[in-house]
Amino acid sequence: MTASNASTGKGPSSPSEGPSCGVDPLAGLRAADDPPWDVYLIGTVFLDIIFTGLESAPVRGTESWARGMGSSPGGVANMATALARLGLRTSLAAAFGDDHYGEYCWDALQQGEGIDLSTSRTVPGWHSPVTVSMAYEGERTMVSHGHEPPPEAVFGQEGAPDCPPRARAAVASLTPGKQAPWVAQAASEGTRIFADVGWDDTGAWDLAGLADLAHCEAFLPNAEEAMRYTGADCPRAAAHALTEHVPLAVVTLGADGAYAVDRRTGESAEVPAIAVEALDPTGAGDVFVAGFVTGTLAGWPLADRLAFAGLTAALSVQEFGGSLSAPGWSEIGAWWRKVQSVEGQDPTALRRYAFLAGLVPEEEPGGDSPWPLRRAVPTIGFGRST
């Protein structure tokens, strides 16, 4: 099995290509000698098929009908899409199957979201990983299938591009007991590394096993992960303990919001979550990270970064799907205008998001946009090969 560039006939995109979101959060910081990309990602892209409108969980031996269905790129594509919709120039390195699913995901990311795929590869004879997600009662159940592509057939022996592209930042998903050489290389070239982590199935919960954490600027675990890794009895104490290993620790607290500590400045911040009706939490963690990275690269105060990350995550859970639900600036702007128009709002809560006033796009002519805004839900069955 060998690797090749995608056979779609489309070349690599440039930072100026792709749909315009109307807002560039880094506009005042850009210079001629900047890296070509704001954020670099590497990971696995899944085809997500999302069934919605189920009355309850499927019952063994019965057939359940869903009132809605959508399909979209998932996996690492959730975060890549969230970053791109927030106006960051995003480059993704991933393997794509040479089946229709892979072609669909490639086109949706490159042409639909303006994400650079010049370091991605199509692997002949390898089928795309697939996840079927069933959303009901504010939760979801997922079934996935896929096979790891041979690393040497995709990016080389390390399973990553030999030379990561120059970028302001990169997001790495840390794996206990494993190192990703690209992380150290990117950090040595000035890329700021933001890291999350998954559940430690080994049960060791040993920070020494997260060797790449030494190259990271920020670490963003959830509360349970943070407490298990540090042995702390509360998430806030865990965040402080983590700053012995990484400059900036951000611990997500679920319905209670998020807490962060910056060792370099001595600053800490806590922002409560926004109360919303959660329809599907798929990808909310990825959207939170994307929002926090955006605010950090833009140089915002720590509390504003937490508030923005929490807002984008809250907007995402009001829609179904992972990358489908990632909000753009039009959704953020519509939310900001809506909450200001509601009588009886807590002035303190409004001031927490006052930094949005100079960022969100103005309402389009005609006004009275519906709330919440609804993104079109693509269905792969309508795609056509060209």
Side-chain angles (χ1 to χ4, degrees):
M1 187 180 291
T2 59
S4 67
N5 287 324
S7 58
T8 59
K10 305 177 182 69
S13 59
S14 68
S16 61
E17 290 180 348
S20 172
C21 68
V23 175
D24 181 359
L26 308 185
L29 303 175
R30 299 199 183 278
D33 59 349
D34 280 346
W37 307 111
D38 296 326
V39 187
Y40 170 69
L41 297 162
I42 182 170
T44 302
V45 173
F46 286 72
L47 171 71
D48 281 356
I49 301 173
I50 307 103
F51 291 103
T52 65
L54 290 165
E55 297 295 341
S56 62
V59 178
R60 183 174 60 182
T62 67
E63 181 179 16
S64 299
W65 279 82
R67 291 192 296 271
M69 187 191 82
S71 52
S72 66
V76 71
N78 293 338
M79 189 177 298
T81 299
L83 289 161
R85 289 182 181 177
L86 292 177
L88 297 187
R89 300 170 179 175
T90 303
S91 181
L92 170 64
F96 289 79
D98 66 346
D99 49 15
H100 289 306
Y101 293 169
E103 179 183 351
Y104 167 79
C105 289
W106 184 290
D107 286 346
L109 294 173
Q110 185 184 67
Q111 303 302 316
E113 304 293 348
I115 295 168
D116 168 63
L117 299 179
S118 60
T119 55
S120 292
R121 297 291 182 267
T122 294
V123 182
W126 180 66
H127 71 76
S128 301
V130 175
T131 292
V132 175
S133 176
M134 292 163 281
Y136 53 88
E137 299 174 354
E139 294 292 340
R140 86 282 198 198
T141 297
M142 296 184 290
V143 178
S144 298
H145 174 71
H147 303 282
E148 288 289 335
E152 68 277 6
V154 186
F155 298 122
Q157 293 296 330
E158 301 298 343
D162 295 331
C163 298
R166 290 178 59 238
R168 296 174 188 264
V171 181
S173 184
L174 305 185
T175 302
K178 295 183 179 180
Q179 283 187 272
W182 74 265
V183 173
Q185 182 177 350
S188 69
E189 296 173 356
T191 297
R192 304 162 71 178
I193 310 296
F194 296 75
D196 61 12
V197 69
W199 191 257
D200 186 354
D201 291 328
T202 69
W205 297 102
D206 182 9
L207 279 170
L210 303 180
D212 285 330
L213 196 60
H215 306 294
C216 297
E217 171 174 330
F219 184 41
L220 298 94
N222 64 34
E224 185 66 22
E225 293 160 349
M227 290 189 291
R228 286 178 179 266
Y229 271 117
T230 61
D233 58 2
C234 81
R236 294 159 188 80
H240 285 274
L242 286 172
T243 59
E244 298 178 10
H245 304 271
V246 66
L248 177 58
V250 180
V251 177
T252 55
L253 309 174
D256 292 328
Y259 182 80
V261 183
D262 191 330
R263 182 186 69 203
R264 295 162 301 188
T265 64
E267 183 182 10
S268 64
E270 182 169 0
V271 174
I274 298 173
V276 296
E277 180 184 357
L279 297 181
D280 184 1
T282 304
D286 295 325
V287 174
F288 181 94
V289 173
F292 189 82
V293 170
T294 300
T296 301
L297 294 184
W300 300 349
L302 186 57
D304 289 354
R305 286 180 264 165
L306 282 185
F308 185 72
L311 169 60
T312 55
L315 294 178
S316 76
V317 301
Q318 295 180 86
E319 299 289 340
F320 291 106
S323 62
L324 284 176
S325 66
W329 283 100
S330 59
E331 286 90 345
I332 295 167
W335 175 86
W336 177 235
R337 288 187 292 272
K338 179 66 175 180
V339 296
Q340 291 181 91
S341 68
V342 176
E343 294 184 4
Q345 287 282 14
D346 180 0
T348 302
L350 285 177
R351 284 195 295 271
R352 184 178 295 119
Y353 297 92
F355 65 91
L356 292 173
L359 289 168
V360 297
E362 295 182 3
E363 190 171 9
E364 295 182 1
D368 297 325
S369 298
W371 177 258
L373 297 181
R374 301 294 180 188
R375 285 192 179 275
V377 180
T379 301
I380 193 171
F382 292 121
R384 294 290 186 270
S385 299
T386 56

